[in-house]
C-alpha cells in the first residue's frame, strides 16, 4: 500500500490527480466565506474521504455526509464534489484520502478563513437548530438564536433549516440611506430562503461611530439594498456605547438587509422643535429610533386625523396638539419593541373601520399584551385624546410597576404630592380618578410622571387633562431610558 502526503497543486501523479477549491487549483487558498466547494479528482473510482465531513464509498450512489448543511455528489467515476464544506476562523487543515485499486494516497489541504466583513463575504449556518448563537465576521454581526430555535414555513417546520449572512456593502451610498440618516456599518443580508423564525431571537450589529450618542443610533431593515424607501422599517435598538454595537429583537421575519444608521438631521429640522426646547432631546431620540413620527400635513404623516397641523417643516408639537389614544398605543408598542400582530379584523370596530396596516396592528398588539383597554361602548376611541391619568395607567402596565392596593395609603401620598390629589372627580380636568390613583402613584414614585405647575405656585396632577404630543414624547423617552431600551 502506497501512502503519499504531498502539497496540493494543479495535478499529481498518484491516485489523486488534482484538487480544486472553489474552482481554483493554485494555493494558497483564502476564502472570504466560511464554506467552500472542494473538488477531488482521482485516477479511477474508489473511496474518497474529505476531512471528517464526507466519505464517498466505492460502488455506493450516495456519499456519507456527517455535517448538516453540507451537500456532496459524484458527477463521474473520477470526480467527487463537496459543497458548503465548513471552515473555522483562521487556518483550516483538511485531510483528503483516496483509495483506488488498493492504493491509498493522502493529501493535506490548507485553507484560511479570515472571518472579516469584506464585501461579498458570506457566513453560512447549515442548521440553526444545532446553534444557539451565530457569531459572524469577527463579531461584527451576532445572531443570538437562544435554545431550540427553528425556521418555519407557512406554519410548519421548514425542511431547510439553513441561513446565510452576507456582507453586501461596506460603504452605502447616501442616496440609498433613509432621509436624515447616514449609514455607519456594513450592509448585511440575512437569507433563510423565505422562512421565518419559530422563536424570538436577537441581532447585534457593530457600528463605526466612535463618539455617536446612543439616542441617535438605530437599525433599519429593508427588503432590498435601497434603504431610502418608505416601506423600510426603523427597528431602533439597544446601544452599547463601549462595544459600539446595537441589539434589536427579531421575531418572525428574519430575511432582509440590515444596517446601522445615525440620525444627522432628524427632528432638529422642524420649526416647532427648537434646539433649546425642553422636549427637543426626547422627540429627537424617538424620531431617530422610529418610535415617533411627524404628525404634519404631508401624505402618510397624519393617520390620526389631527386638525390644524402644519406642513412638512413641522413635527406636530404645538401646545394645543394633544396626543390621541391610537397614536400613544402605537408609540408604546414601538418603544417596547413588541412584534406587531398582523390582523385582518381588529378587536375594536372603530379601529377596524378607521385605521389600517401597522397602525391597526399596533393597537391590536397593545390590546393583546394587556397595555390598553377599550371603552364601555366596545370601541377603542383611537382618535380621542389621551388623558394624563390614562397615560399613567398604560405606563404602569408597560413597566410592570407594583401598585399599592391600600386606598388610604394611596390617598395619603397623592394628597401630599399634588394640590388636586384629594380630588377624585376629573370632569374639570383636575384631580385623579379612583381607578387611576394606584397607577398614578406608582408612576410618580418611579419618576415617570410629575405634576403640572398651576396658579399660586402649587403643583397639580390634572389627571383629566389631555396629554400633549411633546409630553408624551418625554414620558416615553423616560420609560425607554429606565427600561434600557435605547
Amino acid at each position: 500500500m502506497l501512502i503519499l502526503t504531498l502539497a496540493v497543486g494543479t495535478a499529481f501523479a498518484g491516485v489523486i490527480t488534482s484538487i480544486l477549491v472553489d474552482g481554483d487549483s493554485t494555493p494558497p487558498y483564502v476564502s472570504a466565506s466560511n464554506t467552500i466547494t472542494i473538488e477531488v479528482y482521482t485516477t479511477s473510482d474508489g473511496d474518497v474521504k474529505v476531512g471528517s465531513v464526507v466519505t464517498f464509498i466505492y460502488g455506493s450512489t450516495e456519499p456519507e455526509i456527517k455535517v448538516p448543511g453540507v451537500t456532496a455528489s459524484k458527477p463521474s467515476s473520477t470526480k467527487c464534489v463537496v459543497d458548503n464544506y465548513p471552515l473555522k476562523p483562521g487556518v483550516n487543515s483538511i485531510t483528503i484520502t483516496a483509495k483506488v485499486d488498493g492504493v491509498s494516497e493522502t493529501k493535506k489541504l490548507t485553507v484560511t478563513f479570515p472571518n472579516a466583513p469584506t464585501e461579498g463575504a458570506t457566513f453560512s449556518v447549515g442548521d440553526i437548530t444545532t446553534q444557539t448563537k451565530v457569531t459572524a465576521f469577527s463579531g461584527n454581526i451576532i445572531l443570538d438564536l437562544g435554545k431550540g430555535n427553528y425556521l418555519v414555513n407557512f406554519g410548519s417546520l421548514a425542511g431547510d433549516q439553513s441561513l446565510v449572512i452576507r456582507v453586501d456593502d461596506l460603504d452605502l451610498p447616501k442616496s440609498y440611506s433613509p432621509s436624515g440618516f447616514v449609514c455607519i456599518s456594513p450592509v448585511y443580508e440575512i437569507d433563510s430562503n423565505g422562512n421565518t423564525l419559530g422563536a424570538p431571537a436577537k441581532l447585534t450589529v457593530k457600528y463605526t461611530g466612535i463618539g455617536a450618542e446612543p439616542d441617535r443610533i438605530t437599525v433599519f431593515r429593508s427588503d432590498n439594498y435601497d434603504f431610502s424607501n418608505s416601506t423600510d422599517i426603523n427597528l431602533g435598538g439597544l446601544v452599547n456605547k463601549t462595544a459600539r454595537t446595537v441589539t434589536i429583537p427579531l421575531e418572525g421575519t428574519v430575511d432582509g438587509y440590515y444596517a446601522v444608521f445615525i440620525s444627522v438631521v432628524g427632528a432638529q429640522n422642524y420649526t416647532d422643535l427648537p434646539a433649546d426646547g425642553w422636549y427637543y432631546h426626547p422627540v429627537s431620540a424617538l424620531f431617530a429610533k422610529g418610535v415617533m413620527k411627524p404628525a404634519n400635513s404631508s401624505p402618510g404623516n397624519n393617520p390620526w386625523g389631527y386638525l390644524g397641523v402644519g406642513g412638512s417643516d413641522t413635527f406636530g408639537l404645538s401646545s394645543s396638539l394633544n396626543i390621541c389614544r391610537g397614536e400613544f398605543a402605537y408609540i408604546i408598542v414601538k418603544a417596547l419593541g413588541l412584534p406587531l400582530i398582523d390582523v385582518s379584523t381588529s378587536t375594536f370596530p372603530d379601529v377596524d373601520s378607521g385605521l389600517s396596516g401597522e397602525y391597526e396592528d399596533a393597537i391590536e398588539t397593545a390590546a393583546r399584551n394587556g397595555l390598553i383597554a377599550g371603552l364601555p361602548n366596545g370601541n377603542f376611541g383611537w382618535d380621542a385624546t389621551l388623558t394624563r391619568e390614562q397615560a399613567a395607567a398604560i405606563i404602569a402596565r408597560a413597566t410592570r410597576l407594583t401598585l399599592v392596593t391600600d386606598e388610604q395609603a394611596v390617598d395619603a401620598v397623592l394628597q401630599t404630592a399634588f394640590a388636586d390629589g384629594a380630588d377624585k372627580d376629573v370632569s374639570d380636568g383636575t384631580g385623579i380618578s379612583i381607578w387611576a390613583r394606584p397607577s398614578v402613584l406608582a408612576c410618580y414614585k418611579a419618576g415617570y410622571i410629575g405634576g403640572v405647575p398651576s396658579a399660586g405656585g402649587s403643583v397639580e396632577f390634572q389627571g383629566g387633562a389631555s396629554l400633549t404630543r411633546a409630553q408624551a414624547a418625554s414620558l416615553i423617552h423616560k420609560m425607554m431610558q429606565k427600561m434600557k431600551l435605547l
Side-chain angles (χ1 to χ4, degrees):
M1 181 173 65
L2 175 65
I3 299 177
L4 301 175
T5 302
L6 302 172
V8 180
T10 302
F12 313 101
V15 170
I16 301 174
T17 59
S18 65
I19 298 174
L20 277 67
V21 176
D22 289 338
D24 186 9
S25 62
T26 308
Y29 299 110
V30 179
S31 175
S33 303
N34 72 324
T35 61
I36 55 174
T37 296
I38 301 175
E39 300 175 43
V40 180
Y41 294 83
T42 56
T43 55
S44 185
D45 198 0
D47 298 337
V48 177
K49 185 176 181 182
V50 183
S52 59
V53 173
V54 177
T55 300
F56 297 87
I57 301 173
Y58 176 71
S60 176
T61 57
E62 297 294 332
E64 292 183 355
I65 301 174
K66 301 178 182 179
V67 176
V70 174
T71 59
S73 63
K74 196 165 186 180
S76 69
S77 62
T78 59
K79 180 180 179 181
C80 299
V81 180
V82 180
D83 289 312
N84 299 319
Y85 188 99
L87 301 177
K88 298 179 296 183
V91 178
N92 294 259
S93 181
I94 304 168
T95 300
I96 297 176
T97 301
K99 184 177 182 180
V100 176
D101 295 332
V103 178
S104 293
E105 184 178 11
T106 298
K107 295 185 180 297
K108 295 290 185 180
L109 178 65
T110 299
V111 183
T112 302
F113 171 48
N115 197 24
T118 55
E119 197 165 305
T122 64
F123 195 100
S124 301
V125 181
D127 184 353
I128 74 163
T129 64
T130 65
Q131 304 284 325
T132 56
K133 183 181 289 188
V134 178
T135 302
F137 311 122
S138 301
N140 278 267
I141 185 167
I142 300 171
L143 180 59
D144 189 346
L145 295 162
K147 292 183 179 180
N149 214 330
Y150 53 96
L151 292 173
V152 176
N153 187 271
F154 294 104
S156 301
L157 187 69
D160 183 359
Q161 291 291 316
S162 67
L163 62 79
V164 177
I165 303 174
R166 299 185 182 92
V167 181
D168 279 289
D169 203 319
L170 298 179
D171 187 18
L172 185 72
K174 187 177 180 180
S175 60
Y176 285 180
S177 297
S179 178
F181 290 85
V182 171
C183 189
I184 55 173
S185 79
V187 176
Y188 299 98
E189 181 190 7
I190 300 180
D191 182 6
S192 67
N193 296 307
N195 298 317
T196 57
L197 288 171
K202 293 180 180 179
L203 182 69
T204 299
V205 185
K206 186 166 287 189
Y207 62 87
T208 57
I210 297 176
E213 287 303 315
D215 280 4
R216 297 169 55 206
I217 296 173
T218 190
V219 174
F220 274 84
R221 178 171 67 204
S222 174
D223 290 336
N224 53 49
Y225 177 75
D226 188 350
F227 287 83
S228 66
N229 298 316
S230 60
T231 56
D232 297 332
I233 303 173
N234 188 333
L235 299 172
L238 176 62
V239 177
N240 184 325
K241 193 173 181 179
T242 302
R244 299 205 293 276
T245 60
V246 191
T247 300
I248 57 172
L250 285 182
E251 189 165 346
T253 300
V254 65
D255 285 7
Y257 294 77
Y258 297 81
V260 182
F261 291 85
I262 184 169
S263 172
V264 294
V265 177
Q268 61 188 327
N269 259 21
Y270 297 101
T271 57
D272 56 350
L273 188 58
D276 58 353
W278 62 268
Y279 48 80
Y280 172 79
H281 184 65
V283 173
S284 296
L286 298 194
F287 175 84
K289 295 289 185 179
V291 173
M292 192 174 193
K293 297 181 180 180
N296 54 43
S297 59
S298 297
N301 276 10
N302 188 13
W304 315 109
Y306 291 121
L307 300 176
V309 296
S312 60
D313 62 340
T314 62
F315 198 88
L317 297 167
S318 67
S319 59
S320 61
L321 190 56
N322 301 317
I323 195 164
C324 66
R325 288 164 53 84
E327 187 182 16
F328 195 82
Y330 173 85
I331 287 175
I332 201 155
V333 164
K334 295 287 285 184
L336 294 173
L338 298 176
L340 294 183
I341 298 171
D342 188 7
V343 295
S344 56
T345 303
S346 172
T347 298
F348 308 107
D350 63 324
V351 174
D352 199 42
S353 61
L355 293 171
S356 62
E358 64 172 336
Y359 305 114
E360 180 182 6
D361 293 346
I363 292 174
E364 189 71 17
T365 301
R368 296 192 190 185
N369 280 277
L371 300 176
I372 61 171
L375 303 174
N377 63 4
N379 288 330
F380 177 62
W382 64 269
D383 53 352
T385 57
L386 184 82
T387 65
R388 288 170 51 81
E389 64 183 17
Q390 289 171 349
I394 295 172
I395 293 294
R397 296 179 197 127
T399 57
R400 300 181 181 180
L401 296 177
T402 301
L403 304 185
V404 177
T405 57
D406 187 324
E407 186 176 339
Q408 291 184 340
V410 172
D411 288 349
V413 178
L414 292 179
Q415 290 172 24
T416 301
F418 306 109
D420 60 346
D423 185 3
K424 300 177 183 179
D425 179 4
V426 299
S427 58
D428 64 348
T430 61
I432 308 167
S433 298
I434 293 175
W435 66 268
R437 295 173 77 81
S439 296
V440 171
L441 174 60
C443 287
Y444 170 69
K445 290 173 65 176
Y448 287 117
I449 194 167
V452 178
S454 59
S458 61
V459 175
E460 296 178 342
F461 183 75
Q462 299 181 4
S466 297
L467 189 75
T468 68
R469 292 189 82 235
Q471 291 169 345
S474 178
L475 179 57
I476 296 295
H477 186 249
K478 286 179 183 176
M479 182 197 77
M480 294 182 72
Q481 285 181 317
K482 288 179 178 290
M483 295 182 72
K484 299 183 188 273
L485 295 172
L486 291 170

